[in-house]
Amino acid sequence: MDFEAIKRAAQGYEADMSRFLRDLIAIPSESCEEEGVIKRTIAEMEKLGFDKAEIDPEGNALGWMGTGEKIIAFDGHIDTVGIGNISNWTEDPYKGYETEDVIYGRGGSDQEGGVVSAVYGAKIMKDLGLIPAGYRILVAATVQEEDCDGLCWQYIHNEDGITPEFVVSTEPTDGGIYRGHRGRMEIRVDVKGVSCHGSAPERGDNAIYKMADIVQQVRALNENGDEDSTEIKGLVKMLNPKYNPEHYEDARFLGRGTCTVSQIFYTSPSRCAVADSCAVSIDRRMTAGETWDSCLEEIRALPAVQKYGEDVKVSMYMYDRPAWTGLKYETECYFPTWINKESAPHVQALADAHKALFGPERIGHPGAMHLRKRPLIDKWTFSTNGVSIQGRYGIPCVGFGPGAESQAHAPNEITWKQDLVTCAAVYAACVRLYKGRGDEDVCEYRGGKTDNNIK
């Protein structure tokens, strides 16, 4: 393989990739509102000579190169979060700006830049004859990830009937190759009370007071240690072989689980009354060894939850927002943990491509390198569509994408042009370096599905 030709081709497309990314950034595309960026992506695929470019019923853009039966896919979610407080931005987050080195604007790192690099990586594969015989390349620009990680791949796998041999996630990786991440779930706690006039609160049963007790114990669950004398042992316990004998080493690789109260709701007849209900949302990040039901039972076992008995309900959220196409594809808000073996052939294909093109260490613009003094092969802090691709279905997945995790969801978001070029080159080279058969046991850890009636 002519690695210098691949690098020259990727570098030659820098201006085109920059223009495409700026076009995407200029189109607001929060979850369920991605129609504009999806159609712009289809137009770019058609301009570049993709063999087929289509939009599925959920609204994902699927671009195909090649004609083989086996599929290698590149996934990038095309939706973004909102802009938050506009006063935190120094420039218009959609108009943005471009310098010699960076592109500014919402979605540059998280993660429209990954879609751009994947589209052009596939173009380079076709131009240089790098698509292996018997394979097709799929570039999937996917929707609703910011709202519900992996929902798009539940649809692509179950309804579109697409099962790649492996998937490259183009989420930002700070120049690294990522082989897994923690899972997460969204938990709701509801507490019942009895309202009365606020002038005599002793006549009622204040649901907010009950919830206050529970919230303090959720905080303790996140912050406490795991000493024998601690009544509410903290989530750090999963790093201890005493509490997680089978998976503590994997948990140490991923990092401990966390929980935090992210929302609070209440009902009350008026501001002059005792609240008769209160509810909170809990963002729960899950490390290896933690399961969806163990996380629910952990909340149910808190002393305050036990104290208030049948007045408390602990449950998992469901997601049912319609896609931009109007399609509603309901799922549970559970997003499984996953880790690949470092030796897995799809992981090594990315590593071999990077080493052949750029060497064995992370590279990047000097302004990004303070975040990149880490092993080339590592893991994400946040979660990705890999929760479904590998965590739910066991389809091998590996991450390599332009941009920085620290830019995700932040004001004044930027991405580096050099990353766009680097990733396009690695994507173009990796498929030829893949030595797998498609039937290897590549999983080191996988959360899997629940026993609920969800595909």
Side-chain angles (χ1 to χ4, degrees):
M1 196 179 339
D2 189 341
F3 294 106
E4 290 303 316
I6 294 171
K7 287 198 285 187
R8 285 194 302 271
Q11 191 64 55
Y13 283 127
E14 182 184 296
D16 297 276
M17 288 191 283
S18 298
R19 188 179 306 112
F20 181 25
L21 179 54
R22 293 208 67 194
D23 285 355
L24 294 176
I25 288 171
I27 306 169
S29 54
E30 294 181 37
S31 295
C32 308
E33 300 173 6
E34 305 97 338
E35 181 176 6
V37 287
I38 287 291
K39 290 181 175 178
R40 177 64 185 84
T41 301
I42 291 289
E44 193 77 6
M45 290 172 169
E46 291 174 342
K47 183 186 83 171
L48 294 178
F50 272 63
D51 295 322
K52 185 178 182 181
E54 58 186 336
I55 301 173
D56 76 0
E58 191 191 17
N60 303 297
L62 307 177
W64 299 91
M65 288 288 203
T67 57
E69 292 298 314
K70 296 180 179 180
I71 299 167
I72 294 173
F74 295 80
D75 169 69
H77 71 81
I78 202 77
D79 60 319
T80 73
V81 295
I83 60 173
N85 184 347
I86 189 63
S87 67
N88 288 329
W89 292 76
T90 59
E91 305 286 341
D92 185 315
Y94 298 117
K95 183 177 179 180
Y97 65 81
E98 177 181 353
T99 71
E100 183 179 346
D101 301 317
V102 304
I103 294 172
Y104 175 106
R106 175 54 84 217
S109 271
D110 189 20
Q111 62 113 153
E112 290 168 344
V115 173
V116 168
S117 290
V119 167
Y120 276 84
K123 166 67 171 169
I124 295 167
M125 287 182 224
K126 184 175 184 179
D127 287 348
L128 299 184
L130 299 175
I131 301 173
Y135 282 88
R136 282 181 292 164
I137 303 302
L138 167 63
V139 176
T142 48
V143 299
Q144 293 180 277
E145 190 273 352
E146 295 291 5
D147 246 18
C148 188
D149 326 12
L151 177 69
C152 51
W153 273 92
Q154 289 188 49
Y155 192 89
I156 289 168
H157 178 62
N158 293 320
E159 310 303 331
D160 294 338
I162 296 171
T163 305
E165 194 156 321
F166 73 88
V167 180
V168 178
S169 169
T170 65
E171 287 268 15
T173 60
D174 287 298
I177 295 165
Y178 287 178
R179 62 185 181 99
H181 58 66
R182 295 178 303 169
R184 71 180 188 92
M185 62 187 296
E186 298 173 5
I187 298 172
R188 182 178 171 108
V189 181
D190 287 89
V191 175
K192 293 188 292 186
V194 178
S195 64
C196 69
H197 199 285
S199 65
E202 69 277 0
R203 296 174 186 163
D205 185 15
N206 196 316
I208 292 176
Y209 287 170
K210 292 178 177 178
M211 185 61 79
D213 293 342
I214 294 170
V215 165
Q216 286 301 314
Q217 293 183 1
V218 171
R219 182 177 182 179
L221 188 62
N222 187 65
E223 297 179 359
N224 282 359
D226 61 357
E227 297 81 7
D228 290 343
S229 59
T230 304
E231 180 183 16
I232 300 173
K233 291 180 173 55
L235 299 180
V236 70
K237 66 180 180 289
M238 298 304 285
L239 308 184
N240 187 337
K242 176 179 177 180
Y243 297 104
N244 191 14
E246 294 183 13
H247 301 296
Y248 74 93
E249 291 180 314
D250 291 330
R252 290 177 180 179
F253 168 70
L254 292 177
R256 49 159 292 185
T258 60
C259 61
T260 189
V261 173
S262 55
Q263 295 176 319
I264 188 164
F265 318 94
Y266 73 93
T267 60
S268 177
S270 79
R271 290 199 299 270
C272 302
V274 165
D276 54 14
S277 80
C278 188
V280 296
S281 304
I282 298 173
D283 178 283
R284 179 66 161 87
R285 303 289 157 153
M286 305 162 61
T287 194
E290 295 176 323
T291 66
W292 67 277
D293 48 352
S294 74
C295 292
L296 292 174
E297 289 304 317
E298 204 166 42
I299 301 298
R300 291 172 181 143
L302 293 174
V305 174
Q306 293 289 305
K307 175 182 175 182
Y308 297 122
E310 294 184 359
D311 288 344
V312 184
K313 178 185 177 183
V314 179
S315 60
M316 178 163 53
Y317 276 97
M318 298 293 291
Y319 180 84
D320 63 355
R321 281 188 70 191
W324 69 264
T325 60
L327 181 141
K328 185 185 292 187
Y329 198 65
E330 186 175 17
T331 193
E332 57 202 3
C333 293
Y334 162 67
F335 311 95
T337 309
W338 59 279
I339 312 171
N340 279 296
K341 297 174 182 176
E342 188 165 341
S343 61
H346 66 297
V347 176
Q348 288 303 310
L350 271 288
D352 290 346
H354 191 283
K355 291 169 185 174
L357 290 162
F358 304 110
E361 298 181 353
R362 300 189 191 209
I363 66 166
H365 182 272
M369 290 306 296
H370 68 287
L371 297 170
R372 302 188 177 187
K373 304 299 183 184
R374 292 182 280 156
L376 179 64
I377 300 177
D378 207 344
K379 81 283 184 181
W380 280 286
T381 300
F382 56 42
S383 64
T384 72
N385 281 333
V387 297
S388 284
I389 298 167
Q390 186 152 351
R392 186 176 285 271
Y393 301 121
I395 301 168
C397 186
V398 60
F400 185 68
E405 283 191 78
S406 62
Q407 294 294 317
H409 303 187
N412 305 306
E413 182 178 354
I414 63 168
T415 200
W416 291 270
K417 293 180 180 180
Q418 182 178 344
D419 284 358
L420 299 177
V421 172
T422 299
C423 289
V426 170
Y427 299 159
C430 71
V431 294
R432 276 283 181 186
L433 296 173
Y434 173 61
K435 299 179 176 67
R437 303 182 308 274
D439 59 356
E440 296 89 355
D441 177 13
V442 302
C443 281
E444 185 169 313
Y445 180 88
R446 182 165 75 90
K449 296 183 285 187
T450 69
D451 57 5
N452 298 324
N453 187 27
I454 300 292
K455 292 183 180 178

